[in-house]
Amino acid sequence: MFFVDTLAEMGKFMDSGGNVLWMIVILLFFMWTLIFERVWYLTRSCPRVLKIKIDVWSGRNDRRSKSALQIREKVISEAALQIDNNMMMIKTLIAVAPLFGLLGTVTGMITVFDVMAFTGGGDVKAMAGGVSKATIPTMAGMVAALSGLFAMTLVERSAEKKKHYLEDNLIIDRRRRER
């Protein structure tokens, strides 16, 4: 019974926000899917990948030559690309969420203006539906962006730690070269 009531209330909420609210839900689904993928990668796969890279580097005899330093930079760059995969897409979805909310505001206000033009501005109940369609998507877009921004901050912090960890553990022999 609770599940059915909850679905009915969600349906009312989605109807009150208009079609733009569905677009925000789809955007939110993709954004959080990518965020969860990054969290999964950074907590499960990335530590193993970094360990392999560090072990391969540690097994090298030459870690001081110009060629070795270039290889080190290549390894760090490749790892950074893997760690930062999908980060720009997540940031883009976070930035687009409030714009979808703004689109909902505009479409809701168009409904209000249509009602005002048709009734002469005297039907407050009819205008309230348009105002609802204007404010609910705005709120949903802002909530989506804020939740994504919070999660993205945590993911970026974790990604930076992983990159610094790799850099710190790809040790260069600091002994002087004998000439």
Side-chain angles (χ1 to χ4, degrees), residues 112 115-116 118-129:
V112 170
V115 168
M116 288 175 66
F118 184 71
T119 63
D123 191 359
V124 176
K125 280 188 174 182
M127 288 192 305

Side-chain angles (χ1 to χ4, degrees), residues 23-38 86-87 89-98 140-152 155:
M23 293 173 21
I24 293 171
V25 167
I26 292 168
L27 177 136
L28 197 58
F29 172 77
F30 284 121
M31 180 181 71
W32 276 99
T33 300
L34 291 174
I35 289 170
F36 283 132
E37 183 274 331
R38 281 293 84 195
N86 289 332
M87 297 281 215
M89 179 59 77
I90 296 168
K91 288 179 182 179
T92 301
L93 293 173
I94 290 169
V96 168
M142 293 305 290
V143 168
L146 287 173
S147 69
L149 191 60
F150 175 72
M152 189 62 191
V155 169

